[in-house]
Amino acid sequence: MSKTSMGKTEMTRRENLLNRWAFEGSTVKVVDVPNGPASIESAYEEALCVPATVELIAQCEAGGYDACIIGCFGDPGLEAAREIATIPVIGPCEASMLLSAGLGHKFSVLTIYDSMVAGQEHLAHRAGVLDKLASVRATDIPVLELMTAPDQTRDKMIEVARACVAQDRADALMFGCMTMSFLDMADEIAAIVGVPAVNAAKAALKQAESWVSMGLSHSKKAYPLPSKMAAGTTFEQMRIA
């Protein structure tokens, strides 16, 4: 993120927000992935950032962090990261979809482009809540432009949210983009459209805090360490193994 137009100032703002949302005693650090696309709006861009994300999560565990949250709503590398880590690795999409599924009979996702709708539906299937998904609707505002005109973004998000409730019969909403979530408009939009709205960044944070407080992490039966790494192969060696 520090290499984008939003820069390190935005990283610091997000870190401050997360620490404000966190329970007393929790400390959140936003760590930049060293390489990858400026924004993620496709499966290809997700794939580009996975290797660096997974390695960074391994470094965070080695550095003593209690949990890691992937910084993209598409949860890129979530299963791979859980294979190499023993601490909780939280995907914002999975966390917010599981939360949204419990808030009503159906929920809708606000995403960026129509081209991303099928991907969001796939994520709902992977999370096991596809039958609770009312719709996925696009705002058609690129990720890197969401913050350039906040009032216009807010108006568009309200317009799309209202359509989800009125036309798709959604009982709850969630923001299918981390930048959208970090606009911190969930409470305002929920009050306007009359249904709960889930901020994916906050949902991921609260899931991480909950798991850590309960002494839980993902099952290594479900996400076993890759056999080559179990035998001692390093990240560098895995690239050519």
Side-chain angles (χ1 to χ4, degrees):
M1 184 189 299
S2 64
K3 303 178 184 68
T4 71
S5 57
M6 293 186 284
K8 292 187 176 181
T9 300
E10 177 60 12
M11 283 184 60
T12 300
R13 187 187 75 86
R14 295 187 184 196
E15 185 174 286
N16 290 338
L17 262 181
L18 288 163
N19 279 290
R20 194 176 80 203
W21 294 335
F23 292 128
E24 184 177 355
S26 296
T27 301
V28 184
K29 177 70 175 175
V30 174
V31 184
D32 213 3
V33 175
N35 51 66
S39 63
I40 298 176
E41 297 166 341
S42 67
Y44 176 65
E45 288 165 316
E46 284 187 6
L48 290 175
C49 75
V50 168
T53 298
V54 172
E55 291 194 32
L56 183 57
I57 287 171
Q59 293 168 16
C60 288
E61 178 167 19
Y65 286 85
D66 296 311
C68 287
I69 298 169
I70 292 175
C72 171
F73 180 81
D75 297 352
L78 176 61
E79 294 188 359
R82 285 177 171 174
E83 285 185 350
I84 59 90
T86 59
I87 61 171
V89 179
I90 307 300
C93 177
E94 182 183 81
S96 50
M97 282 191 170
L98 292 174
L99 176 59
S100 297
L103 296 175
H105 300 298
K106 296 278 187 177
F107 68 90
S108 288
V109 181
L110 277 63
T111 192
I112 301 300
Y113 292 128
D114 283 333
S115 61
M116 302 172 71
V117 170
Q120 303 285 348
E121 292 171 343
H122 173 71
L123 288 168
H125 173 74
R126 191 173 75 178
V129 295
L130 184 59
D131 61 332
K132 303 275 282 187
L133 181 65
S135 64
V136 182
R137 286 182 177 256
T139 61
D140 291 320
I141 304 173
V143 171
L144 296 179
E145 295 180 18
L146 285 167
M147 297 180 64
T148 58
D151 290 341
Q152 293 179 26
T153 297
R154 172 187 173 276
D155 291 345
K156 184 63 176 180
M157 288 169 65
I158 292 170
E159 175 190 330
V160 175
R162 280 178 166 152
C164 291
V165 174
Q167 299 175 33
D168 307 327
R169 302 179 63 85
D171 304 313
L173 304 167
M174 53 181 286
F175 300 142
C177 168
M178 291 297 271
T179 296
M180 203 182 289
S181 287
F182 277 113
L183 291 171
D184 199 18
M185 296 180 178
D187 292 344
E188 179 184 5
I189 291 175
I192 291 170
V193 302
V195 301
V198 173
N199 175 322
K202 190 180 290 188
L205 170 64
K206 294 306 170 183
Q207 186 179 86
E209 290 181 310
S210 176
W211 284 20
V212 170
S213 71
M214 296 174 69
L216 295 173
S217 190
H218 51 272
S219 169
K220 295 308 289 182
K221 176 80 171 176
Y223 306 101
L225 185 69
S227 57
K228 293 186 181 69
M229 296 186 79
T233 302
T234 64
F235 277 111
E236 290 73 20
Q237 293 167 334
M238 285 287 283
R239 295 192 185 99
I240 58 174

